[in-house]
Amino acid sequence: MSVIYKAKLKAAKTAVSEKNYDYAYDLCHDLLELDATSYPVHILLGVSCQHMSKWSEGASVYEKAKLLPKANTLAWQGVCALYEASGDHAKHTEALRELCDRLIAEGNLQKAWECMQKVLVLLEGAGDVRRLVRALEELAPNGPYNALLDVNGADPQPPTIVDLLNRMYRLESDLDSRLIESEVNKRRTRLGAGPISRVRTEVRSEVYAESGLLTTLTQLVEHSMSGPVDQLLENEELYFECLFDRILFVEPRNEAVAQLVNLAEDLVSNDKCSRAFELLIEMDDVGDRVAELVPKLVELFPDSVLAPAARAWMRSDAVDADMANGDADVANGDARESPFAQLQVVKSMERMGRDRACVDAAARARNAQHEFSEKYGAQLPRSRLQVDLASAGSYLRIGPEHAGDAEELFRVCLEADAKCTEAALGLGLATCALGNNEEGCQILQQLVDSDPLNHRAWGGLANAQLAADNTSGAIHAYKQAIAVDPVCAEHHAGLADAYWRLGGEWRSDK
């Protein structure tokens, strides 16, 4: 190295330290003509370019410096400083990432974390939520920068994995919501957009397909298992609520539903989450667990969407039937998509003798059952049977013009449950109402043969015999009905009517 070269290099360093960047800039160019591979000169020239706002040239100089044999982190740090001074946040962010990679390669994880923290601050400040989430994902488990979370002594100290995932959850949840609302507002006014519900469904499908929220929540639950139970349950509830809302858009659906039910079981066992109770109540299909789940739902979550229907179910056999009917009316307004709630409405209308309202409620209940089955892949045979029985009975009571509807529904009920005596009884009565007394009597006779203690079946057979002008047969059936249930006034009145029809001495019995 010549004396002149050394003197110019020293002068360039002095010029930079004294902030005489124009002079340093000229000296560096002179030096590079003498030695184009000098790493220190490239760094001095890059600094000069930065302070002279020569952004493109400075960036080019630093990129060349990175390729030199003696390159160290100064070149990467110089690029970061240059883009920071230029105000180019996007390029500054990328430069910081490259510096982070360089520091990791050198084993300096503490400085690498501090660099990554600057990346996060930049992205957050720019409001670039999507890129911020992606950066956080790279710090999460299985991400390329996950090791940075284990650094000690850094300032600021890295977050715990649970804190990181919680932050990701908040950001992703907010991002998904804003994307959905923004895109729905754009599309709803387009020609041929269709109903707003369809537009929203299409947008949700697209946004959720790109979202990483469920993955984040899965990891959050997994990493909460070694922590406090309350924190685990809180995160399980977050995951459950998110999966519950997105179940239509998750594939494979059957696995997602199984996971949802498992989460619900865990939450319910710890008296958490009204939606978890609601899901298990629906899934139980008015089975044995309803008696356990419904009172707890009412006690723990009195404002739950399903609470009015739950109270109606609890009061259905009580004296305060009016209160049960009122609860069912509330359920009809607040829980139109709930099969359980709609079933309580049907039964409420049946109790009050509002037969046409019962038939209408049954149609809504079947829609709710169908949509639930489509959503969760769960059939609800017991609920469907109760709805069909109630509406079939209502059709029969409305009048002969609906006897055919009643007969059809009673046959559907028997196909679902061949041992359903109420359906068999209704089918016999409906068949008689259609004028097929002989067939109706046969159906009812078979019923009393298989269930001789069913006083309603005996009463139905008696009425059918009476309608078929078989007065003696009707008297026999009425007597059997009274033997089973001596206090049923309807049977006594029927028997009296049969005796009256016989005339003569029998009228005194009436």
Side-chain angles (χ1 to χ4, degrees):
M1 186 181 296
S2 69
V3 174
I4 296 175
Y5 185 91
K6 287 182 179 179
K8 283 193 173 185
L9 179 58
K10 183 177 180 180
K13 291 179 180 178
T14 301
V16 168
S17 65
E18 293 178 352
K19 301 182 180 180
N20 189 354
Y21 299 112
D22 291 348
Y23 181 46
Y25 177 83
D26 292 337
L27 287 171
C28 287
H29 276 290
D30 291 343
L31 288 165
L32 288 176
E33 287 182 5
L34 297 172
D35 182 5
T37 63
S38 173
Y39 183 72
V41 174
H42 278 81
I43 298 302
L44 291 170
L45 179 56
V47 173
S48 299
C49 287
Q50 173 189 327
H51 289 280
M52 295 172 70
S53 300
K54 294 179 179 290
W55 313 121
S56 297
E57 183 181 353
S60 176
V61 168
Y62 281 127
E63 290 303 320
K64 290 176 182 177
K66 291 178 184 179
L67 301 174
L68 296 174
K70 294 182 179 180
N72 58 30
T73 54
L74 282 175
W76 280 263
Q77 289 170 334
V79 176
C80 291
L82 181 140
Y83 283 131
E84 182 178 13
S86 74
D88 191 330
H89 295 299
K91 289 184 177 179
H92 185 202
T93 302
E94 291 307 310
L96 284 167
R97 281 179 171 279
E98 291 184 14
L99 175 58
C100 183
D101 292 338
R102 174 76 184 188
L103 291 167
I104 291 173
E106 293 179 353
N108 193 344
L109 296 184
Q110 181 174 324
K111 289 295 184 182
W113 161 248
E114 293 171 4
C115 187
M116 180 55 71
Q117 176 65 17
K118 292 178 182 178
V119 171
L120 299 178
V121 171
L122 272 175
L123 292 173
E124 188 168 19
D128 194 341
V129 179
R130 187 180 292 280
R131 291 186 66 198
L132 176 58
V133 169
R134 296 296 174 262
L136 292 170
E137 284 177 349
E138 292 177 334
L139 288 164
N142 303 320
Y145 299 115
N146 179 243
L148 298 182
L149 298 186
D150 297 326
V151 172
N152 293 316
D155 184 24
Q157 186 66 23
T160 65
I161 186 62
V162 171
D163 289 341
L164 174 75
L165 291 167
N166 266 312
R167 184 181 181 188
M168 288 173 61
Y169 158 72
R170 291 190 297 272
L171 288 168
E172 289 177 296
S173 180
D174 181 63
L175 177 62
D176 287 353
S177 298
R178 286 193 289 110
L179 286 174
I180 289 170
E181 289 307 312
S182 173
E183 195 60 28
V184 168
N185 288 334
K186 285 180 188 175
R187 297 188 193 182
R188 64 188 303 176
T189 56
R190 291 178 184 172
L191 186 64
I196 185 65
S197 59
R198 188 175 74 188
V199 172
R200 183 171 293 277
T201 298
E202 291 173 353
V203 171
R204 288 178 70 198
S205 177
E206 294 169 10
V207 171
Y208 293 158
E210 298 296 323
S211 173
L213 186 56
L214 286 175
T215 301
T216 297
L217 286 169
T218 301
Q219 293 178 334
L220 184 57
V221 170
E222 290 174 355
H223 286 274
S224 301
M225 289 181 177
S226 57
V229 173
D230 287 346
Q231 186 181 63
L232 172 61
L233 290 172
E234 181 181 339
N235 291 332
E236 279 190 347
E237 187 167 356
L238 289 176
Y239 185 30
F240 174 85
E241 293 280 2
C242 183
L243 187 57
F244 187 92
D245 285 334
R246 303 183 180 208
I247 197 68
L248 280 174
F249 309 98
V250 181
E251 294 295 341
R253 181 89 58 84
N254 59 338
E255 292 181 10
V257 170
Q259 191 174 27
L260 191 66
V261 171
N262 287 337
L263 283 167
E265 292 285 3
D266 196 34
L267 290 167
V268 164
S269 68
N270 288 279
D271 294 341
K272 300 287 185 181
C273 188
S274 61
R275 271 184 164 182
F277 275 88
E278 292 165 8
L279 177 65
L280 294 184
I281 288 171
E282 301 287 11
M283 286 287 193
D284 189 55
D285 188 27
V286 290
D288 296 336
R289 289 193 68 190
V290 166
E292 166 202 345
L293 294 169
V294 162
K296 290 189 74 175
L297 173 71
V298 172
E299 176 188 355
L300 296 169
F301 306 102
D303 296 326
S304 160
V305 169
L306 216 57
R311 286 191 290 268
W313 180 88
M314 292 170 66
R315 293 167 172 161
S316 60
D317 295 326
V319 176
D320 55 348
D322 288 342
M323 293 182 69
N325 294 333
D327 284 329
D329 285 339
V330 173
N332 189 28
D334 292 349
R336 286 188 172 272
E337 296 180 359
S338 163
F340 178 80
Q342 293 309 307
L343 173 60
Q344 305 317 309
V345 177
V346 170
K347 297 176 85 169
S348 170
M349 299 301 106
E350 184 184 32
R351 279 193 300 271
M352 291 187 289
R354 294 172 57 186
D355 291 317
R356 294 190 182 277
C358 180
V359 169
D360 293 339
R364 292 193 298 271
R366 291 188 194 98
N367 286 337
Q369 291 164 354
H370 173 74
E371 290 176 8
F372 186 87
S373 297
E374 288 287 306
K375 192 172 185 179
Y376 296 102
Q379 302 303 312
L380 304 173
R382 288 189 290 265
S383 296
R384 182 59 182 263
L385 179 62
Q386 290 190 23
V387 167
D388 286 346
L389 281 172
S391 58
S394 291
Y395 271 131
L396 193 58
R397 289 187 293 273
I398 288 173
E401 68 274 17
H402 284 290
D405 297 313
E407 180 195 32
E408 181 179 349
L409 275 173
F410 281 129
R411 291 190 186 278
V412 169
C413 292
L414 284 171
E415 287 177 7
D417 182 2
K419 296 181 179 180
C420 180
T421 56
E422 186 175 351
L425 172 60
L427 178 60
L429 295 175
T431 303
C432 290
L434 288 169
N436 302 324
N437 290 320
E438 183 177 351
E439 181 184 353
C441 288
Q442 289 176 354
I443 293 171
L444 293 167
Q445 184 63 55
Q446 291 173 359
L447 179 58
V448 296
D449 289 343
S450 62
D451 187 13
L453 296 181
N454 188 332
H455 75 94
R456 292 180 62 214
W458 280 112
L461 176 60
N463 291 336
Q465 295 282 19
L466 204 60
D469 293 328
N470 185 357
T471 307
S472 59
I475 290 172
H476 171 73
Y478 280 130
K479 286 182 176 180
Q480 294 294 326
I482 291 169
V484 176
D485 185 359
V487 299
C488 180
E490 185 179 343
H491 300 329
H492 287 281
L495 179 60
D497 187 42
Y499 277 133
W500 183 265
R501 291 192 183 193
L502 286 177
E505 61 183 276
W506 297 104
R507 293 196 174 185
S508 60
D509 292 315
K510 177 178 173 78

